[in-house]
Amino acid sequence: MANRHADTIADELEDMILDGRFANNDRLDEVQLAQRFSVSRTPIREALQRLTQAGLVEQIPRRGAFVRQPGAIELIEMFEVMAELEAASARFAAMRMTDAALGDLNDANEKCMKAMQDQDADSYYRENERFHHIIYAQSGNSFLEAEAKRLHRRLKPFRRLQLRLRGRLRQSMSEHESILEALANGDPEMAAQVTRQHVAVQGEKFHHLIATLKIAAE
Amino acid sequence: MANRHADTIADELEDMILDGRFANNDRLDEVQLAQRFSVSRTPIREALQRLTQAGLVEQIPRRGAFVRQPGAIELIEMFEVMAELEAASARFAAMRMTDAALGDLNDANEKCMKAMQDQDADSYYRENERFHHIIYAQSGNSFLEAEAKRLHRRLKPFRRLQLRLRGRLRQSMSEHESILEALANGDPEMAAQVTRQHVAVQGEKFHHLIATLKIAAE
DNA sequence: GTCAAGTTTTTTGTATACAAGATATCCAAA
DNA sequence: TTTGGATATCTTGTATACAAAAAACTTGAC
């Protein structure tokens, strides 16, 4: 990609923002960050530019850079788009997927299941991510794969939240089964539909969660 | 957004690349560009960073920035994704669209038709773009709208190419009619399907065009 | 004439310097 | 006490300086 220093700084800042280590609208002071990373302002500014492009930071001219956590509405919109990208991936994958990849997908799903039974959250997240990434890759469309990965990563912290809802995990696994079945049958429309539903419901659950939190806060 | 100078420079460079004023793999020399724009290297570097993020430029560490025109395969992939984004927009629009917007869409379509009869290419492109942008906006999903606009813009120069094919324009207009009808009927699945087809066929026509050009070149 | 090692020249990436705009502080008047 | 304006301070945005890496060139051996 680009220059090493600014690159790694951007990655670190991205992680920090996505992990929620900054509050919304926190100002990212250039000199402070420069000191923290022991570099000059130049690579910091490059990193901030990158984050701005990625939508994680908003830069206001002559005012500075502010972390920009998406609001509830924007998150729902993003989940909606994610559902469409996943549905499209699944549709293509149903037609283009290799047998070997189908085996991998099955493997990821079984490990997901096992992780759920073992209450092993880390393992669950890892295998669930693998499950979805395999579908993106098997769309046979690298551009789609890249876009899907990008948005998937952006939504990661919020997916975790939503999975805490009672019964959601088990339901999610059953949806995986339907996806697997549709892909195994090579049924593009079915694959697209169940996959869209699988992701869209995450957005809805998330919405529900937000609403609940709001009520609880009153 | 960000700083004025680097901003406008990025926009200008973007236009130049999208208009094809640079060949693929052309190196974008920082000092040369700095002189051309009468600024220092700093804002140039910021602009190049932005273009890299947008996928128009590839930066190789310690080597420089190179314009990166998508190849045939990548273009087909991008058209495939565009088709999905448009289809999703149309699906949502079928459910959420206002009557006023439906009127606007009809208006854009009629002006498109008129432009075709008048052989007025500029007017055609403008109204065609308006047609599609209305659908994005009426998806009621700003995030989707932004993503669709972004990709639409990226594909702009290649859509123009494809429209030169004999009979393509008339076919395209008839597809617009089907889209309008589905939206007017509030039929989400039909709207998604005809819209996907409308855009996907552009990719196929484009593919066909490329193949033809290659044969002609031999 | 070709190739390879060593040297010079470019070019990138980072640090620092400086200018202009934004924010904060202070003081006086109502 | 509060408000308004003038001044001081801080912060961003751009220019310049410098170090290190890559490319280009030179020179010498075969």
Side-chain angles (χ1 to χ4, degrees):
Chain A
M1 263 247 154
N3 43 327
R4 216 207 100 269
H5 236 158
D7 238 10
T8 55
I9 289 169
D11 286 348
E12 269 187 65
L13 281 175
E14 187 174 323
D15 285 340
M16 291 171 80
I17 293 172
L18 288 179
D19 292 356
R21 265 180 278 175
F22 288 109
N24 193 27
N25 287 350
D26 268 6
R27 182 159 151 278
L28 297 172
D29 189 88
E30 294 181 2
V31 290
Q32 238 173 275
L33 291 173
Q35 285 174 349
R36 162 130 44 135
F37 287 99
S38 304
V39 294
S40 79
R41 275 175 54 221
T42 312
I44 297 291
R45 284 179 63 82
E46 294 203 358
L48 291 177
Q49 281 252 127
R50 277 189 45 173
L51 296 178
T52 299
Q53 284 298 102
L56 297 168
V57 159
E58 184 173 10
Q59 274 179 309
I60 303 176
R62 290 269 171 210
R63 303 286 295 278
F66 302 84
V67 325
R68 195 179 157 298
Q69 300 285 14
I73 290 173
E74 191 174 357
L75 274 171
I76 290 164
E77 292 182 348
M78 289 165 81
F79 270 111
E80 246 180 28
V81 173
M82 187 78 244
E84 296 297 330
L85 292 181
E86 297 239 10
S89 298
R91 187 206 322 279
F92 293 132
M95 302 183 280
R96 301 170 180 172
M97 181 165 222
T98 65
D99 280 347
L102 198 61
D104 287 347
L105 203 61
N106 209 49
D107 180 65
N109 193 45
E110 280 169 8
K111 283 184 178 144
C112 253
M113 213 102 91
K114 183 165 184 317
M116 183 179 77
Q117 281 154 7
D118 297 355
Q119 308 259 26
D120 180 350
D122 282 351
S123 177
Y124 177 84
Y125 289 127
R126 191 177 54 247
E127 295 302 326
N128 183 57
E129 180 159 308
R130 186 159 78 95
F131 184 88
H132 286 273
H133 277 38
I134 289 171
I135 295 176
Y136 307 155
Q138 292 301 311
S139 72
N141 183 324
S142 321
F143 184 74
L144 176 56
E145 183 185 359
E147 293 288 305
K149 274 186 182 166
R150 195 165 59 94
L151 189 51
H152 186 92
R153 170 159 170 63
R154 188 124 167 60
L155 289 173
K156 196 171 185 174
F158 305 102
R159 231 186 335 264
R160 291 180 87 105
L161 260 181
Q162 161 265 319
L163 273 175
R164 290 198 197 135
L165 284 175
R166 189 161 50 83
R168 177 61 196 135
L169 232 152
R170 193 168 299 277
Q171 187 194 342
S172 184
M173 291 310 305
S174 125
E175 287 160 5
H176 276 202
E177 293 287 347
S178 308
I179 293 172
L180 256 172
E181 191 187 328
L183 289 175
N185 291 340
D187 184 340
E189 284 318 310
M190 181 62 74
Q193 202 182 308
V194 291
T195 304
R196 177 185 296 119
Q197 199 51 30
H198 172 57
V199 181
V201 80
Q202 294 178 6
E204 282 156 29
K205 292 284 175 186
F206 178 81
H207 190 183
H208 180 250
L209 193 66
I210 295 287
T212 308
L213 289 176
K214 265 189 194 148
I215 291 166
E218 278 166 6
Chain B
M1 262 250 155
N3 42 327
R4 215 207 101 270
H5 237 159
D7 237 11
T8 56
I9 289 169
D11 287 347
E12 271 187 64
L13 281 175
E14 187 175 323
D15 285 339
M16 291 171 81
I17 292 172
L18 289 179
D19 292 356
R21 266 180 279 175
F22 288 109
N24 193 26
N25 288 349
D26 268 7
R27 182 161 151 279
L28 296 172
D29 189 88
E30 294 181 1
V31 289
Q32 239 173 273
L33 290 173
Q35 284 173 348
R36 161 126 51 130
F37 287 98
S38 306
V39 294
S40 79
R41 276 174 53 221
T42 312
I44 297 290
R45 284 180 61 84
E46 294 203 358
L48 290 178
Q49 282 251 126
R50 277 188 44 173
L51 296 179
T52 298
Q53 285 297 104
L56 297 167
V57 160
E58 185 173 10
Q59 273 180 308
I60 303 175
R62 289 272 171 206
R63 302 288 294 277
F66 302 84
V67 322
R68 195 179 156 299
Q69 299 286 14
I73 291 174
E74 192 175 355
L75 274 171
I76 290 164
E77 292 182 348
M78 289 164 81
F79 270 110
E80 247 180 28
V81 174
M82 187 78 245
E84 296 297 330
L85 292 180
E86 297 239 10
S89 298
R91 186 205 322 279
F92 293 131
M95 301 182 281
R96 301 169 179 172
M97 182 165 223
T98 65
D99 280 348
L102 199 62
D104 287 347
L105 202 62
N106 209 49
D107 179 65
N109 193 46
E110 279 169 8
K111 283 183 177 144
C112 252
M113 213 102 93
K114 184 165 185 316
M116 183 180 76
Q117 282 154 6
D118 296 354
Q119 309 258 25
D120 181 349
D122 281 351
S123 177
Y124 177 83
Y125 290 125
R126 190 176 56 247
E127 295 302 326
N128 183 58
E129 180 159 308
R130 186 158 76 96
F131 184 87
H132 286 273
H133 277 37
I134 289 170
I135 295 176
Y136 308 154
Q138 292 302 309
S139 72
N141 183 325
S142 321
F143 185 74
L144 175 57
E145 182 185 0
E147 294 288 304
K149 274 186 182 167
R150 195 166 59 94
L151 189 51
H152 186 93
R153 170 158 170 64
R154 187 124 167 61
L155 289 172
K156 196 170 184 174
F158 306 101
R159 231 185 336 262
R160 291 180 86 105
L161 260 180
Q162 161 265 319
L163 274 174
R164 291 197 195 136
L165 285 174
R166 190 162 49 85
R168 177 60 195 134
L169 232 152
R170 192 168 300 277
Q171 188 194 339
S172 183
M173 291 310 304
S174 125
E175 288 159 5
H176 275 201
E177 293 288 348
S178 307
I179 294 171
L180 257 173
E181 191 187 330
L183 289 175
N185 292 339
D187 183 341
E189 285 317 310
M190 181 62 74
Q193 201 181 308
V194 291
T195 305
R196 177 185 297 119
Q197 199 51 31
H198 171 57
V199 180
V201 79
Q202 294 177 6
E204 283 157 29
K205 291 284 175 186
F206 177 80
H207 191 185
H208 180 252
L209 192 67
I210 296 286
T212 310
L213 289 175
K214 266 189 193 147
I215 290 165
E218 277 166 6

